[in-house]
Amino acid sequence: MCASRVVYALAISGLIFVADASPYDPHVPGAQPWFEGWYTRVIAVDSAVSFGTVAGLFPSQALAKPAYFAGIIVGNVTSKSTQVHQQLPSSITATGSGGTPVHEQPTPLAPPDFSLEAADFSYNLTVSNNDFRLSAYAAGVTLTLVGNGPNVPWGPGGETPEGALAYLPFIDLHWYVYSLATPVTWTFHNPEASPETLTGRGYAHMEKNWGRAFPQKWVWAQGMRMSERCNSASVPEDPEVMFALAGGPAPVSSPWLVRAASGLPMAWLVGYHSQNIKWNFRPYDPTVSKVHSDACHGHFQLNATRLLQSVVITIKADLDSFGDLACPTSSGFSNESMHSFAAEAHIQAYRYRLWPLRLLGWELVETQVIPNVALEFGGALRC
């Protein structure tokens, strides 16, 4: 979802899960305001285009701004453009397995099984284990996605970007990545384009947010690069490099927690997976993060370091490649972010070498360049 997928925790406690459903499934609403939203981004194989879909809802809440939102994002690296098509349905209904109402919170290990349907048919998502089908309509364009392969999870055993802190009761915003790369077939139709209809294969990054609202400022980014052996006619291969990151202030509303977190730096969650490395960074590792964010120049850099591992991610996008995208605020959905599908990421991964002593220090393990990257600046970090 448009988004800071941001979690910062100040303590660790036990976890209690009560339902046979995935965190990608709908949740039981919490204290209002409360939203949940699903975001899917597809990078086409052997093509310069990428597509995104987003759907969000503040269920059964009277708000000053729209309580339901659906959208389609279209990016083209060649033209360095991002087009955002937005829709405001009168309602979006989320149901569990077999169309049943949602009464219990999900668990991290169960497969997903749920559906979303907008009242104006602008968004329909059905997920049942590895069966994934999505159709979206917004401002005259349509996008259809059909999953046709296994997912690439964030980590083993249902691991999430937040790790052990995902279900602490005082955290007001959560980020769950269901898949870093799911093979899909896609069809995009735009009656004002030539040709009107495009079809192809690609890989989908699939994630979800839920909680009270996005924070006052955030950055989010995601990207993957295909193997050179992978093309539109070949047998699918998982992308050889994938990453996702999000950061913002502590998403807490308790007054004493707000005061405790006010002097702390922004918290960052990072996942970097290549053929040789699968590293995930969280504040409690502990990870020390250094950040430079400049939305007006389309530039972002993050250096995340923990014991023996460090990754530097530098992302750049032309300012003209950004489009406005609605996000969940405490009063409903509003255009609070600038979103580009035409960024490029340069990544360096380092490992601290302990032996031999004459070579003690940080050693460059690999470098990667990833085109077709999504970059989002939100709230007070926008230009």
Side-chain angles (χ1 to χ4, degrees):
M1 167 107 215
C2 133
S4 153
R5 291 53 177 177
V6 178
V7 173
Y8 194 107
L10 305 177
I12 299 177
S13 70
L15 307 181
I16 300 176
F17 306 101
V18 294
D20 186 19
S22 162
Y24 195 54
D25 282 33
H27 284 68
V28 177
Q32 296 185 6
W34 187 92
F35 84 98
E36 58 185 341
W38 289 260
Y39 179 100
T40 302
R41 181 170 186 249
V42 174
I43 296 180
V45 172
D46 198 25
S47 174
V49 298
S50 61
F51 304 97
T53 67
V54 56
L57 58 150
F58 286 85
S60 304
Q61 295 168 61
L63 302 168
K65 297 177 181 179
Y68 301 93
F69 171 78
I72 297 174
I73 311 161
V74 184
N76 189 303
V77 172
T78 303
S79 61
K80 297 183 178 180
S81 63
T82 304
Q83 298 176 339
V84 180
H85 307 270
Q86 304 193 117
Q87 194 87 358
L88 298 175
S90 59
S91 67
I92 297 177
T93 302
T95 56
S97 177
T100 58
V102 179
H103 294 302
E104 295 180 312
Q105 301 293 13
T107 76
L109 297 178
D113 191 355
F114 72 97
S115 296
L116 297 178
E117 185 170 348
D120 62 356
F121 304 106
S122 61
Y123 194 92
N124 184 284
L125 170 64
T126 301
V127 182
S128 181
N129 204 350
N130 283 335
D131 183 17
F132 165 76
R133 298 176 184 273
L134 187 153
S135 62
Y137 168 89
V141 304
T142 59
L143 177 66
T144 302
L145 307 176
V146 178
N148 50 24
N151 303 311
V152 177
W154 184 273
E159 181 182 353
T160 76
E162 304 173 51
L165 308 175
Y167 286 84
L168 292 178
F170 53 79
I171 298 296
D172 289 339
L173 177 62
H174 296 281
W175 179 31
Y176 177 73
V177 175
Y178 172 56
S179 178
L180 289 167
T182 294
V184 299
T185 56
W186 55 267
T187 301
F188 177 70
H189 180 76
N190 182 351
E192 298 183 359
S194 180
E196 292 186 2
T197 303
L198 299 173
T199 62
R201 294 174 42 250
Y203 286 86
H205 170 96
M206 304 162 66
E207 62 175 65
K208 182 190 177 184
N209 291 110
W210 67 97
R212 295 180 65 86
F214 280 2
Q216 63 182 9
K217 57 184 178 181
W218 72 88
V219 175
W220 172 88
Q222 177 273 331
M224 66 178 83
R225 191 184 70 228
M226 309 301 169
S227 166
E228 294 182 358
R229 299 183 300 275
C230 187
N231 58 60
S232 57
S234 68
V235 176
E237 294 185 26
D238 290 343
E240 57 185 6
V241 186
M242 300 163 284
F243 83 93
L245 64 86
V252 294
S253 57
S254 171
W256 73 269
L257 285 174
V258 171
R259 289 194 299 271
S262 62
L264 296 174
M266 292 173 63
W268 296 92
L269 303 173
V270 184
Y272 172 67
H273 295 195
S274 71
Q275 293 178 329
N276 302 314
I277 290 174
K278 289 179 173 55
W279 292 349
N280 298 323
F281 297 84
R282 307 178 183 91
Y284 68 82
D285 288 336
T287 292
V288 176
S289 298
K290 297 180 181 179
V291 173
H292 173 75
S293 179
D294 184 354
C296 292
H297 290 90
H299 183 267
F300 174 80
Q301 184 176 73
L302 169 69
N303 184 337
T305 302
R306 65 183 178 195
L307 184 66
L308 304 181
Q309 297 172 348
S310 181
V311 63
V312 180
I313 301 175
T314 304
I315 308 173
K316 185 72 171 67
D318 288 354
L319 192 58
D320 291 341
S321 72
F322 287 87
D324 293 334
L325 183 63
C327 297
T329 71
S330 58
S331 57
F333 286 96
S334 178
N335 285 344
E336 295 291 328
S337 79
M338 49 187 288
H339 206 90
S340 173
F341 271 11
E344 182 173 89
H346 293 248
I347 301 177
Q348 297 87 39
Y350 297 85
R351 184 178 285 113
Y352 199 84
R353 188 165 183 167
L354 298 174
W355 188 262
L357 291 179
R358 61 183 177 84
L359 297 178
L360 184 70
W362 289 105
E363 176 185 31
L364 180 64
V365 178
E366 64 182 35
T367 62
Q368 304 284 355
V369 178
I370 306 176
N372 225 345
V373 165
L375 175 62
E376 177 181 270
F377 297 98
L381 293 182
R382 291 175 296 163
C383 182

